[in-house]
């Protein structure tokens, strides 16, 4: 699913208006009818509805919704803010329609001051003040209005986007300058800001309202952001040849663990072997030999020359993929060995955990990473490597720029994980849950990525499919054990079920499209 910026959405709407063809006011009516159906499923007709509408097209949407709800039996009071003495053509048309067809609606057109209404917890507020075209900051009077709305105990529904929120960058917007919606009915597509963690407090439950823009034959618009869905993953997952052998599914090298941190190596290794790779070698300190041989008997163990630390780089010529970092620690000897490993590795590297922390202390080494390498930081690890950010949007912009500059993939882990590619594209993963906020989840993702790379998936496909499988396995584990009760071993045990779910879907997809 593509995620469009404000300018891209306007381009799509303009194309639909010209080529469907459809008048702008009729397109607005289509959206209003769909939004009203959602509202009717939320609130009965004995609900008192207070509508706050602006002077542009978002306000026009709100006025159309007001009319339809009133005609459906709702008690509606409307506040149209026309402080500049000018309404957009569609907003003006919907104002006139509302006044002429719904005399029962209590209607206020405000140009200066307003006596704010009394709003009860049982009321419904419809927010249509500002849409995706908002630029700059709000005036003090509108800031006060938004603060009033947010302080009400009523249910708040925002049309398309919570008023005050910008479509992408909200780095410099104060929380009291954005409506805190309970529901956001967004038109046609998600907005980029909706995928950012620090914007979740504003949008509430979000639903996309389909108004048929795709039916207009709109040409393919190259977007910066794509939301990966199950159908995308079906197409990426490859069938296995029934006449294959383990050599056909690659040999991966995992450099992980230090004394007392063998668990990180075990978790990554078990996740890798659950994801289809043919052979796995684990390089770890000699003190971990027994527990690794016992816990991952199918893996080959290479002992480091040191009993307790990773100190010696491996020859990687026989491997199709290499991952380094889980549990290796940050001692000077380990950092030196990691630098040597980077220098002697031509395959894309997966680097996580302590590997990322070492890079944070030796930022010059980032330039030496093989092209197509994969870094998997959570926000704090990312900030240590690339500097602090004022917002999640700014962090995303930095991640995109660093992925371009270094020609690597950066998996910025969060509830909606962002996969930043060397060409500037960002793929968002939507699987996963808060139960995965537990020790070892990142190590499991490292193992999954190592496994897919060993099987000759491209780095981009490994990132996308790996994050999806990782999150889906977490969702399956949470369904079994609850988010509170699951742990990383439950996630790993659920990887085969996640793959099975995708394989079954892929089979159904193939049989219904050929």
């Amino acid at each position: 699913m593509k995620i469009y910026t404000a300018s891209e959405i306007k381009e799509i709407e303009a194309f639909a208006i010209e080529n469907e063809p459809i008048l702008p006011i009729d397109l607005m009516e289509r959206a209003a009818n769909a939004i009203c159906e959602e509202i009717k499923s939320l609130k009965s007709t004995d609900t008192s509805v207070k509508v706050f509408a602006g002077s542009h097209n978002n306000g026009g949407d709100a006025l159309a919704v007001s009319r339809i709800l009133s005609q459906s039996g709702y008690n509606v009071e409307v506040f149209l803010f026309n402080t500049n003495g000018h309404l957009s053509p569609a907003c003006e048309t919907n104002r006139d329609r509302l006044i002429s067809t719904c005399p029962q609606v209590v209607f206020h057109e405000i140009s200066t001051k307003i006596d704010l209404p009394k709003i009860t917890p049982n009321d419904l507020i419809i927010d249509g003040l500002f849409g995706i075209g908002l630029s700059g900051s709000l005036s003090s009077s509108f800031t006060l209005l938004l603060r009033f709305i947010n302080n009400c105990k009523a249910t708040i529904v925002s049309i398309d986007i919570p008023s005050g929120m910008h479509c992408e960058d909200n780095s410099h917007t104060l929380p009291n300058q954005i409506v805190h919606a309970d529901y956001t009915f967004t038109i046609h597509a998600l907005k980029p800001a909706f995928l950012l963690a620090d914007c979740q407090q504003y949008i509430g439950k979000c639903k996309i309202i389909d108004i048929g823009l795709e039916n207009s034959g709109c040409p393919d618009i190259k977007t910066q952001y794509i939301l990966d869905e199950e159908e995308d993953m079906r197409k990426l997952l490859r069938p296995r040849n029934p006449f294959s052998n383990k050599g056909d599914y690659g040999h991966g090298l995992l450099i992980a663990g230090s004394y007392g941190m063998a668990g990180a190596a075990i978790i990554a290794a078990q996740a890798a072997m659950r994801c289809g790779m043919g052979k796995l070698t684990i390089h770890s300190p000699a003190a971990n030999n027994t527990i690794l041989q016992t816990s991952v008997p199918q893996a080959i163990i290479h002992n480091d020359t040191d009993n307790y630390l990773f100190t010696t780089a491996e020859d990687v010529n026989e491997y199709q993929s290499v991952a380094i970092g889980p549990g290796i620690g940050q001692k000077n000897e380990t950092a030196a060995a990691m630098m040597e490993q980077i220098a002697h590795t031509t395959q894309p590297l997966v680097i996580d955990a302590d590997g990322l922390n070492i890079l944070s202390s030796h930022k010059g080494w980032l330039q030496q990473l093989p092209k197509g390498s994969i870094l998997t930081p959570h926000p704090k690890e990312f900030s240590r490597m690339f500097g602090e950010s004022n917002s999640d949007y700014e962090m995303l912009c930095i991640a995109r720029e660093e992925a371009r500059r270094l020609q690597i993939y950066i998996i910025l882990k969060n509830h909606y994980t962002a996969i930043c590619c060397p060409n500037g594209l960002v793929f968002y993963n939507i699987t996963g849950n808060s139960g995965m906020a537990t020790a070892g989840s990142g190590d499991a993702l490292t193992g999954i990525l190592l496994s897919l790379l060993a099987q000759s998936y491209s780095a981009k496909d490994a990132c996308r499919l790996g994050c999806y499988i990782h999150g889906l396995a977490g969702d399956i584990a949470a369904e079994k054990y609850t988010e509170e009760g699951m742990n990383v071993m439950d996630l790993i045990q659920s990887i085969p079920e996640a793959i099975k779910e995708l394989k079954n879907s892929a089979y159904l997809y193939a049989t219904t499209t050929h």
Side-chain angles (χ1 to χ4, degrees):
M1 177 193 297
K2 292 184 176 180
I3 304 165
Y4 298 104
T5 63
S7 61
E8 290 164 349
I9 290 173
K10 290 176 181 177
E11 182 181 345
I12 293 168
E13 288 179 346
F15 185 91
I17 288 167
E18 182 177 349
N19 292 276
E20 188 170 336
I22 186 170
L23 294 173
I25 192 68
D26 294 332
L27 191 62
M28 188 173 287
E29 190 76 5
R30 187 187 291 174
N33 274 296
I35 290 168
C36 285
E37 289 304 309
E38 297 296 331
I39 292 172
K40 290 174 186 177
S41 70
L42 288 176
K43 296 288 185 178
S44 62
T45 55
D46 59 359
T47 302
S48 179
V49 181
K50 303 293 193 296
V51 180
F52 294 88
S55 59
H56 297 288
N57 284 354
N58 194 243
D61 290 327
L63 294 173
V65 166
S66 302
R67 170 172 40 82
I68 296 166
L69 289 180
S70 178
Q71 291 170 342
S72 301
Y74 288 82
N75 178 24
V76 179
E77 185 173 6
V78 175
F79 300 85
L80 171 60
F81 291 83
N82 186 8
T83 55
N84 294 323
H86 174 75
L87 302 177
S88 72
C91 186
E92 184 174 5
T93 298
N94 273 314
R95 177 198 63 182
D96 296 343
R97 284 182 178 178
L98 176 65
I99 293 171
S100 63
T101 62
C102 299
Q104 69 274 22
V105 170
V106 181
F107 178 80
H108 314 268
E109 185 166 344
I110 298 107
S111 57
T112 53
K113 286 189 175 182
I114 174 179
D115 291 327
L116 293 170
K118 182 179 179 181
I119 297 177
T120 73
N122 295 324
D123 291 347
L124 173 67
I125 294 174
I126 295 178
D127 158 39
L129 288 165
F130 307 106
I132 60 174
L134 180 66
S135 60
S137 57
L138 299 181
S139 67
S140 58
S141 57
F142 275 117
T143 298
L144 289 173
L145 176 60
L146 266 56
R147 186 179 299 168
F148 166 78
I149 292 172
N150 288 334
N151 286 337
C152 293
K153 303 300 183 183
T155 301
I156 302 173
V157 168
S158 286
I159 295 175
D160 200 26
I161 190 170
S163 287
M165 177 183 279
H166 297 274
C167 198
E168 294 177 81
D169 184 6
N170 292 277
S171 303
H172 305 292
T173 307
L174 298 175
N176 65 357
Q177 293 182 325
I178 302 176
V179 166
H180 291 54
D182 296 294
Y183 298 88
T184 298
F185 297 134
T186 193
I187 298 170
H188 181 61
L190 293 173
K191 311 306 183 264
F194 292 3
L195 281 301
L196 301 175
D198 55 6
C199 290
Q200 298 308 303
Q201 60 181 311
Y202 309 119
I203 61 176
K205 294 180 180 178
C206 182
K207 183 168 184 179
I208 298 171
I209 302 298
D210 181 9
I211 58 171
L213 293 182
E214 299 293 348
N215 300 331
S216 65
C218 183
D220 189 36
I221 292 178
K222 293 183 179 179
T223 61
Q224 306 169 57
Y225 310 105
I226 297 171
L227 193 73
D228 276 334
E229 297 180 285
E230 183 178 352
E231 184 175 320
D232 303 311
M233 298 304 105
R234 293 172 189 163
K235 296 174 183 178
L236 290 185
L237 188 65
R238 299 174 186 169
R240 289 170 73 94
N241 183 345
F243 294 95
S244 58
N245 59 66
K246 66 183 177 184
D248 296 317
Y249 299 109
H251 188 178
L253 171 65
L254 172 64
I255 300 172
S258 57
Y259 183 67
M261 291 294 290
I266 293 167
I267 289 165
Q270 290 192 350
M273 295 307 295
R274 284 288 186 183
C275 210
M277 73 189 310
K279 292 171 63 179
L280 173 66
T281 292
I282 307 171
H283 180 101
S284 198
N288 291 338
N289 182 76
T290 301
I291 189 171
L292 289 175
Q293 291 279 20
T294 305
S295 301
V296 199
Q298 64 270 47
I300 302 164
I301 310 300
H302 279 190
N303 293 327
D304 195 274
T305 54
D306 191 279
N307 276 339
Y308 303 110
L309 301 174
F310 164 52
T311 63
T312 308
E314 275 269 10
D315 182 349
V316 297
N317 288 331
E318 65 179 287
Y319 304 109
Q320 283 70 57
S321 62
V322 181
I324 184 169
I328 62 174
Q330 301 174 56
K331 299 290 188 182
N332 290 337
E333 305 95 308
T334 297
M338 180 170 156
M339 181 63 238
E340 185 181 354
Q341 192 69 66
I342 291 172
H344 290 89
T345 302
T346 56
Q347 302 95 323
L349 276 166
V350 181
I351 302 180
D352 184 35
D354 284 326
L356 298 175
N357 293 327
I358 289 171
L359 288 177
S360 298
S361 301
H362 303 82
K363 293 182 174 63
W365 296 357
L366 287 163
Q367 306 286 348
Q368 309 304 317
L369 293 175
K371 304 303 180 188
S373 290
I374 302 170
L375 306 185
T376 62
H378 56 60
K380 286 187 178 180
E381 290 170 335
F382 182 86
S383 296
R384 286 196 289 268
M385 274 193 294
F386 298 112
E388 294 292 334
S389 307
N390 292 321
S391 68
D392 286 343
Y393 178 76
E394 186 177 317
M395 183 180 294
L396 178 66
C397 289
I398 295 171
R400 290 180 65 200
E401 179 54 36
E402 292 296 339
R404 277 199 202 98
R405 182 176 71 88
L406 299 169
Q407 288 296 290
I408 63 173
Y409 293 84
I410 298 176
I411 297 177
L412 194 53
K413 294 186 289 194
N414 217 313
H415 179 66
Y416 296 117
T417 289
I419 301 164
C420 301
C421 303
N423 63 359
L425 280 179
V426 177
F427 293 92
Y428 277 101
N429 179 66
I430 58 172
T431 58
N433 60 82
S434 67
M436 297 168 67
T438 188
S441 286
D443 302 327
L445 176 61
T446 298
I448 291 170
L449 295 170
L450 175 70
S451 181
L452 293 172
L453 289 173
Q455 295 170 68
S456 299
Y457 283 88
S458 69
K460 181 177 78 172
D461 289 351
C463 288
R464 295 173 65 194
L465 185 58
C467 287
Y468 192 92
I469 290 172
H470 180 248
L472 182 56
D475 289 338
I476 292 169
E479 182 67 23
K480 292 179 181 177
Y481 303 109
T482 74
E483 293 179 10
E484 294 84 357
M486 66 174 282
N487 62 40
V488 71
M489 302 313 292
D490 302 320
L491 184 155
I492 291 170
Q493 294 302 320
S494 300
I495 290 173
E497 291 184 58
I499 295 172
K500 182 179 179 180
E501 186 171 315
L502 277 181
K503 288 181 73 172
N504 289 343
S505 298
Y507 174 76
L508 290 172
Y509 178 79
T511 56
T512 55
T513 55
H514 290 83

